[in-house]
Amino acid sequence: MTRYNLHNRGANMLRRKITKQLTEWKTNANKVALLIKGARQVGKTTSVREFGKTHYDNYIEINFEQSPLARRAFDGNLDARTIILNLSAMGYGPFVEGKTLVFFDEIQSCPNARTAIKFLVEDGRFEYIESGSLLGINYKDVSSYPVGFEEQLQMYPLDFEEFLWAKGIIQDVIEIARYSYKSISPVPAFIHERLMGLYREYSVAGGMPGAVNAFLAHDDFSQTLRAQNIILGSYRDDIAKYADKEKDKAKAVFDAIPEQLNKKNKRFMLASLEKGASNRKYVQSTMWLSEAGIAYHCYNVSALELPLSFSEKRNLYKLYLFDTGLLCAMTMDGIQNAVLSGDIRINEGAVAENAVAAELVKRGIPLYYYDEKSRMELDFLFKDNGRLSIIEVKSGSDYRRHAALDNACADNPGNVNRKIVLCKGNVEAAHDGITYLPLYMAMFI
């Protein structure tokens, strides 16, 4: 019997993939400033802080929300010399040429600092990273954007691989699963069962660092739920703060996402919010949530052909929450215990489907679905090596029943590349060209 050592017992800190991107940025000879965008509380500040203190002799962090006085350094002339002198007079430093990283956190609270990036980069003495929530960056006026002097990175909550690192799972185990994905061969049974168990944990804990840390620190899941509810409360506060005239409608849409995903077809129906609600009336609210990184649109397409964007219907869509752990927390009906115990069929498979959607977004895959008068409803379509591929998410034990996928393949012979069913079973290649993959393998697609 083969025995596997799954755990790295020394793992006790959240390891993030963005650290590799930060390192690559630092080694680039033609460096510009780096702007890290993302929803609030996904770990931007912590990641930059750890990177700066590890890779630079001098690390200077300026948080424009925590220290509003620092904004005054950018009130006058925006040349680099004046700004550095102003910041030094405020007690920031030391500024040592060639050895200093300056981190402007919550930069949306100081639009002039964003404008000044061009001049600071041109000055060339120090290196700069900016960070801000999508809420503020998208809705704060900047007089002149630093085009050509700023590289942008998007940061998300932990993906499943990062969650495995947090749980101390060694990389060799992940590579065994990756090999099975690429070779379409079963994962060793013990590893598969363990990864499915961890995937259920990830589904309810989610990837928000505060919630993950609470999950790792306490056997009592109530502490994780408490952390998630605090995060949800802060998002509702942000909606009230930033959404302006759209705040009431945006909050209504945000709070309705779990209920809408609980429906069989999961399409977001505005009529459930108020009688006679129209897409025109709510389009700004739903787009606001999407642009803030809180929700992900999955648009309906009218044709099974590339490019998918050519046939998308902007008035027909599903809305997924950006973090499945927060989705579970919003349902408020104790579904966490059911998911942890192995029942991921609940709520019409909303948890499993939302988790896959969030994982695809983190991998840069736009979300599209297809629905032909309920005869052929396909969960996700995506471009795959120049061809169309289809993903069906099956949360129950009857995952080999997929009439919609069968119909799509029959109606479009030769037009579909991969036909994937994500399920709780092990890897299997069926004779009809269907590939069955465990739900956790969304991280490899």
Side-chain angles (χ1 to χ4, degrees):
M1 177 180 176
T2 304
R3 298 184 65 87
Y4 297 97
N5 177 18
L6 301 184
H7 294 272
N8 174 5
R9 297 297 179 185
N12 58 4
M13 185 174 64
L14 296 184
R15 173 185 165 198
R16 304 303 303 271
K17 291 180 178 178
I18 200 169
T19 302
K20 180 181 178 182
Q21 295 171 290
L22 291 171
T23 303
E24 291 171 351
W25 167 80
K26 186 180 188 305
T27 58
N28 191 328
N30 299 314
K31 245 192 317 295
V32 295
L34 184 65
L35 173 64
I36 301 176
K37 305 189 298 183
R40 285 193 183 275
Q41 303 184 55
V42 297
K44 301 183 295 295
T45 300
T46 299
S47 295
V48 175
R49 184 179 295 150
E50 292 177 357
F51 174 78
K53 291 182 177 180
T54 302
H55 291 82
Y56 290 84
D57 292 342
N58 295 290
Y59 168 73
I60 300 170
E61 180 176 323
I62 303 168
N63 185 310
F64 291 113
E65 284 195 356
Q66 189 178 60
S67 305
L69 183 63
R71 304 172 198 171
R72 295 177 60 182
F74 300 85
D75 283 348
N77 292 333
L78 295 182
D79 63 283
R81 182 176 180 276
T82 298
I83 291 170
I84 299 303
L85 285 173
N86 288 345
L87 291 173
S88 295
M90 293 177 177
Y92 294 103
F95 290 87
V96 180
E97 186 172 343
K99 296 182 178 181
T100 302
L101 173 67
V102 183
F103 176 35
F104 294 140
D105 199 7
E106 303 291 358
I107 197 166
Q108 74 276 358
S109 293
C110 185
N112 281 349
R114 185 92 183 275
T115 298
I117 284 295
K118 172 183 176 180
F119 311 112
L120 294 170
V121 170
E122 283 182 325
D123 176 64
R125 288 179 292 163
F126 317 110
E127 296 175 9
Y128 298 90
I129 294 180
E130 314 151 77
S131 174
S133 74
L134 286 167
L135 285 166
I137 289 175
N138 289 339
Y139 292 93
K140 286 287 186 179
D141 293 330
V142 176
S143 61
S144 177
Y145 288 96
V147 178
F149 296 88
E150 181 185 80
E151 177 184 352
Q152 298 188 11
L153 282 180
Q154 184 89 16
M155 191 171 182
Y156 300 96
L158 279 76
D159 63 19
F160 183 54
E161 187 172 13
E162 290 172 316
F163 182 79
L164 292 177
W165 295 341
K167 291 286 292 186
I169 301 300
I170 62 174
Q171 191 65 34
D172 286 351
V173 171
I174 299 173
E175 294 309 315
I176 288 172
R178 195 188 309 273
Y179 174 79
S180 292
Y181 167 79
K182 291 180 177 179
S183 62
I184 314 181
S185 58
V187 180
F190 171 68
I191 292 180
H192 169 67
E193 291 167 8
R194 179 62 178 139
L195 289 177
M196 278 304 302
L198 289 166
Y199 190 76
R200 292 192 294 270
E201 291 183 12
Y202 175 66
S203 296
V204 297
M208 299 299 285
V212 172
N213 281 324
F215 184 74
L216 297 175
H218 303 280
D219 293 331
D220 181 3
F221 190 79
S222 65
Q223 296 301 314
T224 307
L225 184 59
R226 178 175 179 271
Q228 291 169 331
N229 283 326
I230 290 172
I231 294 169
L232 288 169
S234 70
Y235 276 113
R236 291 188 178 98
D237 290 342
D238 283 337
I239 290 172
K241 177 180 178 181
Y242 289 106
D244 196 24
K245 296 178 181 179
E246 300 296 324
K247 63 183 179 182
D248 291 335
K249 293 193 289 291
K251 185 178 181 298
V253 172
F254 176 71
D255 288 334
I257 290 175
E259 177 189 353
Q260 298 282 318
L261 289 177
N262 286 347
K263 299 182 306 183
K264 188 172 182 179
N265 68 3
K266 300 178 177 58
R267 201 182 105 199
F268 200 93
M269 302 294 291
L270 292 171
S272 67
L273 301 182
E274 65 170 294
K275 186 177 180 180
S278 65
N279 189 61
R280 176 178 293 182
K281 182 176 181 180
Y282 277 86
V283 64
Q284 293 299 325
S285 305
T286 55
M287 288 305 301
W288 188 92
L289 292 170
S290 178
E291 291 174 1
I294 297 173
Y296 300 141
H297 274 91
C298 181
Y299 288 110
N300 178 268
V301 294
S302 59
L304 293 177
E305 56 186 40
L306 298 176
L308 292 165
S309 59
F310 279 17
S311 65
E312 73 178 35
K313 300 177 181 177
R314 304 286 288 193
N315 63 323
L316 300 178
Y317 53 85
K318 303 177 186 178
L319 271 183
Y320 295 104
L321 203 65
F322 78 114
D323 182 76
T324 304
L326 295 183
L327 176 71
C328 288
M330 288 177 73
T331 61
M332 299 298 290
D333 58 2
I335 68 172
Q336 290 89 348
N337 289 333
V339 174
L340 289 171
S341 65
D343 186 3
I344 53 177
R345 299 169 300 164
I346 54 177
N347 294 43
E348 295 289 350
V351 173
E353 195 170 312
N354 197 102
V356 171
E359 198 75 25
L360 294 177
V361 169
K362 290 166 188 169
R363 300 188 63 76
I365 299 175
L367 302 180
Y368 293 102
Y369 77 99
Y370 182 85
D371 183 6
E372 184 189 275
K373 297 179 181 178
S374 299
R375 171 182 173 267
M376 193 189 301
E377 185 176 331
L378 305 171
D379 295 330
F380 299 106
L381 313 175
F382 66 106
K383 183 179 179 181
D384 184 23
N385 290 322
R387 297 178 63 196
L388 177 69
S389 286
I390 301 172
I391 295 174
E392 279 282 84
V393 181
K394 298 290 185 180
S395 55
S397 299
D398 60 344
Y399 56 84
R400 287 185 175 82
R401 296 176 58 187
H402 34 68
L405 187 55
D406 296 337
N407 290 334
C409 295
D411 293 351
N412 299 270
N415 191 38
V416 180
N417 185 19
R418 287 195 290 169
K419 287 87 70 173
I420 299 170
V421 174
L422 290 173
C423 58
K424 59 184 182 180
N426 208 327
V427 180
E428 178 186 348
H431 64 84
D432 54 3
I434 305 293
T435 301
Y436 298 96
L437 298 175
L439 283 159
Y440 56 79
M441 284 193 176
M443 66 177 171
F444 300 137
I445 293 174

